[in-house]
Amino acid sequence: MATTWKLLLNESITDPDDIARAFGLDLESTKRVCKVYPVKINPYFLKLAQDNGKALSRQIVPDIDELSPRNTSCPQDPIMEEAYSPVANLTHRYHDRVLFLISDTCPVHCRFCTRKRKVGKGLTVTDDTIREGIEYIRGKPEIRDVLLSGGDPLLLEDNKLEGILDSIRQITHVEVIRVGTRVPGTLPQRVDEKLARMLSRFHPLYIHTHFNHPAEIAPESSKACRILADAGIPLSSQTVLLAGINDDTDTLEALFRSLLSMRVRPYYLFQSDMVRGSEHFRTPIERGIQLIDALRSCTSEMALPKFAVDLPEGKGKVVLDSGHLEDGGKGEVMITTLEGEKVKYPNPAPSG
Ligand SMILES: *Cc1c(COP(=O)(O)O)cnc(C)c1O
């Protein structure tokens, strides 16, 4: 018997005609965009987007701007996941952890996706790529943290996902498993107690989910997060800063507060990557720093993600903040308070 989430997924819009009709778009330009960057929207998120206006629909509806000159001149793989890929679908960029793509499908195709060049096109996950990835991890004792992504790992069948988790858990040097997924916000029907119970067999297992706007937090997504949190799975969110969608303090404050209420801890706020086809979503780099600073004055640190930028040419993730530390001379540092006041602080000399 097909379950609800699979029916929803099977009924996803993937045809330019349907998407043009649903959102009243120009058919010719929609076809042109979809040829380069395929569209996919499942009926749950379609309805949510239609009910909530541009903040959601702009994330998933093809836009002719994706083919504009500023977009075609951008690199396709800006953060160079491929250059650090010893086996297909696995990136080993940081010493102690790997990014491992174990699924090639998503509940929706985000128009700003970092892997826009691949998802719905060239990304292929097979039993072989999964086996090779697991072999690689087994052969590298320094890997203590495995971040599963895709595509969306939670779109695998329970038994398939369980098999992969089982194999990874048998590797004794792997301490932490993480799952990156947009399912709780975009296809929450996928999450049920059976899935949560299965995942909880592999603790410590963390879920990084992905919410960009408060309107994504519907009763269904709250329920999905509750089921996962009740299974003892620590939840966090990786939000992407998107021009005209969430790049203002009110939206982010509402989002981060709502996430905390669902026991989802804001983890990263990402500068939108320099990805071909999504340049129009990018904000000036200071914007993210200013937004976090502004939020800090009105909300708890619990609600604040780190603002991070993934540098081009595979130079890695860097966390940016306004930098409150200056040299104060003579064993002192100058620290700037939230109010902008500079305060001297005695700085212990390094020992030894
Ligand atoms: C982001 C990322 C990770 C995980 O980074 P954390 O800062 O530990 O969350 C691991 N590998 C790659 C390639 C990444 O891009």
Side-chain angles (χ1 to χ4, degrees), residues 171-229:
I171 304 172
T172 48
H173 55 261
V174 173
E175 295 165 14
V176 167
I177 298 176
R178 298 191 263 168
V179 177
T181 174
R182 209 182 165 182
V183 153
T186 56
L187 189 61
Q189 293 79 2
R190 167 65 181 108
V191 177
D192 57 14
E193 259 121 38
K194 186 163 158 283
L195 174 71
R197 216 176 310 121
M198 185 277 278
L199 293 172
S200 71
R201 290 211 301 112
F202 301 99
H203 278 317
L205 180 140
Y206 291 69
I207 288 183
H208 292 319
T209 181
H210 173 172
F211 286 91
N212 297 326
H213 192 276
E216 290 158 35
I217 302 176
E220 291 89 341
S221 33
S222 299
K223 183 180 168 197
C225 291
R226 187 174 68 241
I227 292 172
L228 295 168

Side-chain angles (χ1 to χ4, degrees), residues 75-281:
Q76 279 194 292
D77 179 17
I79 60 176
M80 285 208 176
E81 289 186 339
E82 249 97 281
Y84 287 92
S85 184
V87 294
N89 299 342
L90 183 143
T91 302
H92 194 179
R93 169 68 182 77
Y94 307 104
H95 183 71
D96 69 335
R97 54 208 191 275
V98 290
L99 173 72
F100 185 17
L101 311 185
I102 59 164
S103 159
D104 51 23
T105 47
C106 280
V108 294
H109 286 170
C110 306
R111 308 314 294 178
F112 50 85
C113 180
T114 292
R115 299 189 197 106
K116 192 164 172 148
R117 72 194 180 280
K118 304 216 277 198
V119 173
K121 311 208 297 179
L123 178 63
T124 321
V125 172
T126 63
D127 288 346
D128 283 341
T129 63
I130 288 175
R131 195 171 29 75
E132 283 159 21
I134 292 170
E135 290 297 298
Y136 179 82
I137 297 167
R138 190 177 290 124
K140 297 274 176 205
E142 69 269 29
I143 299 171
R144 40 163 292 277
D145 181 348
V146 176
L147 175 50
L148 302 173
S149 184
D152 199 309
L154 293 191
L155 291 193
L156 297 176
E157 302 274 351
D158 285 7
N159 59 354
K160 181 102 193 173
L161 182 58
E162 187 170 21
I164 297 171
L165 291 169
D166 243 329
S167 308
I168 296 173
R169 252 299 153 247
Q170 279 169 29
I171 304 172
T172 48
H173 55 261
V174 173
E175 295 165 14
V176 167
I177 298 176
R178 298 191 263 168
V179 177
T181 174
R182 209 182 165 182
V183 153
T186 56
L187 189 61
Q189 293 79 2
R190 167 65 181 108
V191 177
D192 57 14
E193 259 121 38
K194 186 163 158 283
L195 174 71
R197 216 176 310 121
M198 185 277 278
L199 293 172
S200 71
R201 290 211 301 112
F202 301 99
H203 278 317
L205 180 140
Y206 291 69
I207 288 183
H208 292 319
T209 181
H210 173 172
F211 286 91
N212 297 326
H213 192 276
E216 290 158 35
I217 302 176
E220 291 89 341
S221 33
S222 299
K223 183 180 168 197
C225 291
R226 187 174 68 241
I227 292 172
L228 295 168
D230 283 350
I233 302 170
L235 303 173
S236 59
S237 174
Q238 310 201 111
T239 298
V240 182
L241 186 57
L242 299 165
I245 293 176
N246 62 8
D247 62 339
D248 63 277
T249 42
D250 288 350
T251 303
L252 286 182
E253 185 184 355
L255 172 65
F256 297 149
R257 280 197 186 163
S258 308
L259 287 172
L260 274 189
S261 302
M262 297 197 298
R263 289 179 278 172
V264 178
R265 181 88 199 265
Y267 177 42
Y268 279 134
L269 175 66
F270 281 120
Q271 168 76 5
S272 192
D273 280 331
M274 240 166 60
V275 176
R276 186 180 299 176
S278 60
E279 185 63 20
H280 53 296
F281 287 111

